[in-house]
Amino acid sequence: MRKPIIGGNWKMNRGTPKESKEMLIDFVPLIKNVINVEVVIAPPFTGLISAYEIIKDTNVKLGAQNMYYEEKGAFTGEISPQFLKEIGVEYIILGHSERRNIFNESDVIVNKKLKKALMIGLKPIVCIGEHLEERETGRTKDVIENQMMGSFKDLTRDQMIQTVIAYEPIWAIGTGKTATPEQAEEIHMFIRELISQKYNQETADSVRIQYGGSIKPQNAEILFSKENIDGGLVGGASLQSESLAEIVQAAEKSIQ
Ligand code: PGA
């Protein structure tokens, strides 16, 4: 049985120590009875320490939105995974489409970061997904397969099981256009098939695959009811405690 995971990715929208604390002081009590869903909040770097103060003894875990693939050294402006771990970060979002598209992160870079994160003991959430034009020209599965091959290159079976995949069709991110539950489920199944081909069915059945792209309280339940959708990575709707809590409750319901 896979435990659904809901990630709140605040992006660069909310991130001062004060903003992070305020949101979480509101949010934590709303989901305090949730036991069957893993909940992760990923503020910008500037909000991590104060976020951790609020959530450290709760069922909410701390995530970061990016890291570098070296632990220390002359890398001005980058953040070490070791530093993150030391301040309470447990999850790390890697290869988000905004990183790939705006900051030119390739599968090779994502793969280096992924291996380093696993080595350090951070739990990775790796994002993959196609552009609108790729979907419209029937290339979605090719794109997904390429990203999987590149981003997950040389991962052992154990490392694969520790990795969460977020399928995020780029045309659905921040646009209000959600993939239909059927469209999402088709790709989630396809991703599981690829894992099964590379490793085995047991591995494929163990890996959690989140959906991401305009998840809201109104569409969360139907998306999470699909067999291969194990929760979601939430951007816009994670900025308000009530909407994020409703999405978490929807994930909790989906496994009952
Ligand atoms: P969105 O973002 O929920 O605002 O579409 C999702 C994401 O980028 O992870």
Side-chain angles (χ1 to χ4, degrees), residues 25-254:
I25 287 170
D26 264 9
F27 175 67
V28 166
L30 299 178
I31 59 133
K32 69 172 191 308
N33 297 325
V34 167
I35 44 169
N36 297 313
V37 178
E38 220 169 337
V39 183
V40 180
I41 297 288
F45 297 129
T46 44
L48 289 171
I49 291 176
S50 56
Y52 188 64
E53 279 172 31
I54 309 298
I55 64 179
K56 66 175 180 254
D57 296 318
T58 74
N59 54 349
V60 180
K61 292 167 177 170
L62 190 62
Q65 300 174 19
N66 187 27
M67 55 166 257
Y68 194 51
Y69 53 75
E70 297 289 348
E71 278 166 61
K72 227 179 176 112
F75 304 105
T76 303
E78 290 296 331
I79 289 284
S80 156
Q82 191 60 47
F83 300 167
L84 293 174
K85 187 148 185 243
E86 280 174 30
I87 59 166
V89 170
E90 190 172 331
Y91 278 88
I92 183 86
I93 301 172
L94 297 174
H96 189 279
S97 63
E98 285 144 22
R99 302 282 335 152
R100 292 177 186 265
N101 295 328
I102 306 170
F103 303 100
N104 294 322
E105 272 190 23
S106 62
D107 285 322
V108 173
I109 292 176
V110 174
N111 184 247
K112 283 188 175 181
K113 291 185 174 186
L114 172 58
K115 286 182 192 155
K116 179 58 81 171
L118 287 161
M119 208 188 99
I120 297 277
L122 290 173
K123 298 174 184 163
I125 298 176
V126 179
C127 307
I128 54 176
E130 81 285 2
H131 287 274
L132 181 60
E133 183 245 325
E134 291 163 339
R135 175 161 282 268
E136 286 177 346
T137 50
R139 286 183 290 143
T140 301
K141 289 188 177 171
D142 288 346
V143 171
I144 296 295
E145 188 164 1
N146 274 328
Q147 287 177 333
M148 295 271 299
M149 272 181 349
S151 297
F152 302 127
K153 189 164 177 278
D154 299 329
L155 241 57
T156 65
R157 179 181 173 275
D158 279 358
Q159 288 176 320
M160 190 69 241
I161 291 172
Q162 289 166 48
T163 302
V164 176
I165 300 178
Y167 168 57
E168 302 208 298
I170 294 162
W171 47 272
I173 296 179
T175 57
K177 265 198 220 167
T178 323
T180 64
E182 292 70 30
Q183 281 173 324
E185 174 70 2
E186 183 192 1
I187 302 304
H188 283 231
M189 265 173 69
F190 176 66
I191 293 169
R192 232 179 267 293
E193 248 167 62
L194 293 173
I195 301 170
S196 163
Q197 279 163 24
K198 186 169 166 191
Y199 303 92
N200 54 34
Q201 192 58 44
E202 199 195 331
T203 311
D205 289 339
S206 309
V207 175
R208 291 181 293 176
I209 310 175
Q210 300 177 299
Y211 167 79
S214 299
I215 298 184
K216 305 179 218 37
Q218 298 85 318
N219 58 27
E221 203 172 324
I222 175 110
L223 282 160
F224 302 157
S225 71
K226 292 289 175 194
E227 196 183 326
N228 288 289
I229 302 184
D230 309 311
L233 190 56
V234 187
S238 74
L239 296 169
Q240 304 302 330
S241 44
E242 294 78 17
S243 55
L244 186 59
E246 283 178 47
I247 293 169
V248 172
Q249 309 288 0
E252 176 100 331
K253 250 195 195 165
S254 75

